[in-house]
Amino acid sequence: MVCIDGSEPDYHEQAIAHGRMPYLERLVATGSALTGDCAMPSFTNPNNLSIATGRPPAVHGISGNYFFDPELGEEVMMNEPRFLRAPTIFAQFAEIGSSVAIVTAKDKLRRLLGAGLQPSEKAICFSAEKADQATLAENGIEDVLAKVGKPLPSVYSADLSEFVLAAGVTVMEAQRPDLMYLSLTDYVQHKYAPGTPEADDFYAMMDGYFARLDELGAVLVITADHGMNAKSDDAGKPTVVYLQELLDDTLGHDAARVILPITDPYTVHHGALGSFACVHLPDGVDHAAVAAAVAATEGVAEVHPSADAAVRYELPADRIGDLVVIAERTVALGTTPSGTTCPHWTGRCARTAG
């Protein structure tokens, strides 16, 4: 399986229309091509783990890239296997003696997808981001750069995804695992709209690797984890609702806590700006009144109490605060203008998940 991060259908549809993906065009015509809804929130970690476990976030527990941990009383990345509440198909395949290989673009996802695996020649799990550091003891493979024949890619490049695909071909040629999962990065999708020359070049590159995996005899599944939408107007001005600023004006400075679950270390991708936010309210506050005030804000599409959001979107109620806020399609949610972490918003971050 190949997971194309952030790949809304329009990307491959445009590339096919422009003659850049002949293999995928044949696959769509002769195989099965389905369109489905992603898990919420529409970010990398929740959706990759939904793919890996076959369960929604309410069951596997990964409700974002980032959350407020009530046990620790602090905001933390949700990258550690201890946060995962369901076994992955990879670990269960390995348990019955099947060989498994997982290659991710970013190391944040490698630790979650590799949960329950004991690294060995039959259980390989490494990231392109840290391919130069892979060891037999930690990853089940070593000398990755030499084996793949490519230099270590920049995390902010299309090369990171190409490295994952090249590594997948290398592993398939050498070891033919029973189950292989290749998870790419959405650097290109954050930067370029569907049908642009840069996006088409990226999809053409992938098409060649898909064809090679097919030639090697793989039963190939290609999917996305989530889509991508423009979050700036025609002039390139970002369209952002700053929730922390709004709540500070309403309840007092830092009385409420806004968590943006899209937050991760890769700020050039999205600047921690997405369309889904969790709000933790102080004791004694009228939740319904706050929800109504936020819902009346231009650019906000939905506001739900956490109990309702947990049912509606199959989320773990203990990890999403008191309110869940969802923005309109072309609007991003932030904390405060000074809290926006991406200095390149009008360029690289003009598109974001959600």
Side-chain angles (χ1 to χ4, degrees), residues 1-331:
M1 175 176 279
V2 181
C3 179
I4 309 175
D5 198 357
S7 188
E8 64 186 77
D10 200 29
Y11 277 105
H12 69 261
E13 290 168 358
Q14 292 268 14
I16 288 173
H18 297 160
R20 303 301 305 279
M21 299 191 83
Y23 170 78
L24 193 64
E25 184 175 13
R26 292 195 302 272
L27 187 63
V28 169
T30 61
S32 297
L34 308 172
T35 299
D37 293 330
C38 70
M40 287 285 277
S42 55
F43 309 145
T44 294
N45 284 12
N47 277 280
N48 270 267
L49 270 299
S50 289
I51 293 169
T53 64
R55 304 295 185 190
V59 178
H60 64 63
I62 305 302
S63 57
N65 304 330
Y66 185 79
F67 83 123
F68 178 74
D69 188 337
E71 294 181 6
L72 297 177
E74 60 185 37
E75 300 172 20
V76 297
M77 297 300 300
M78 200 181 285
N79 293 346
E80 299 299 328
R82 65 187 175 91
F83 294 123
L84 188 60
R85 294 171 171 171
T88 69
I89 191 174
F90 313 123
Q92 296 201 325
F93 259 65
E95 189 175 316
I96 62 172
S98 299
S99 55
V100 174
I102 303 168
V103 187
T104 67
K106 300 173 186 174
D107 204 59
K108 70 170 186 177
L109 191 56
R110 188 267 308 176
R111 294 194 294 276
L112 285 170
L113 294 178
L117 284 180
Q118 298 300 317
S120 70
E121 289 187 356
K122 293 187 67 175
I124 295 171
C125 184
F126 67 95
S127 70
E129 180 183 3
K130 295 188 177 181
D132 59 330
Q133 301 174 34
T135 66
L136 289 174
E138 180 72 19
N139 309 97
I141 191 171
E142 61 184 357
D143 300 325
V144 171
L145 299 186
K147 286 182 170 73
V148 176
K150 288 183 174 293
L152 186 71
S154 165
V155 74
Y156 295 125
S157 71
D159 294 338
L160 193 69
S161 289
E162 182 169 5
F163 190 98
V164 173
L165 292 166
V169 167
T170 297
V171 171
M172 183 63 74
E173 289 173 337
Q175 294 172 262
R176 301 192 66 80
D178 296 311
L179 178 64
M180 183 162 67
Y181 186 70
L182 308 177
S183 183
L184 312 185
T185 177
D186 54 6
Y187 171 79
V188 167
Q189 291 85 349
H190 275 299
K191 192 171 175 63
Y192 301 109
T196 58
E198 295 86 355
D200 281 357
D201 286 347
F202 181 68
Y203 279 75
M205 174 274 293
M206 289 192 292
D207 198 66
Y209 284 100
F210 297 156
R212 178 57 182 153
L213 289 168
D214 191 333
E215 289 171 0
L216 290 170
V219 177
L220 185 62
V221 178
I222 303 166
T223 187
D225 54 352
H226 60 79
M228 194 75 65
N229 294 302
K231 303 293 184 182
S232 54
D233 61 22
D234 292 340
K237 181 181 179 181
T239 50
V240 185
V241 172
Y242 293 105
L243 284 179
Q244 189 68 58
E245 185 176 59
L246 173 65
L247 292 169
D248 284 353
D249 291 343
T250 304
L251 302 175
H253 183 69
D254 286 345
R257 183 192 298 268
V258 174
I259 298 294
L260 303 173
I262 198 172
T263 303
D264 67 15
Y266 310 96
T267 55
V268 170
H269 284 163
H270 46 67
L273 292 162
S275 293
F276 187 104
C278 300
V279 178
H280 296 256
L281 296 172
D283 293 339
V285 169
D286 185 335
H287 290 198
V290 175
V294 175
T297 304
E298 185 178 358
V300 171
E302 302 175 28
V303 181
H304 302 287
S306 59
D308 292 350
V311 173
R312 180 186 292 257
Y313 294 116
E314 298 184 283
L315 294 165
D318 60 328
R319 291 180 170 176
I320 57 174
D322 298 306
L323 299 176
V324 164
V325 182
I326 300 173
E328 294 177 355
R329 182 182 179 92
T330 59
V331 176

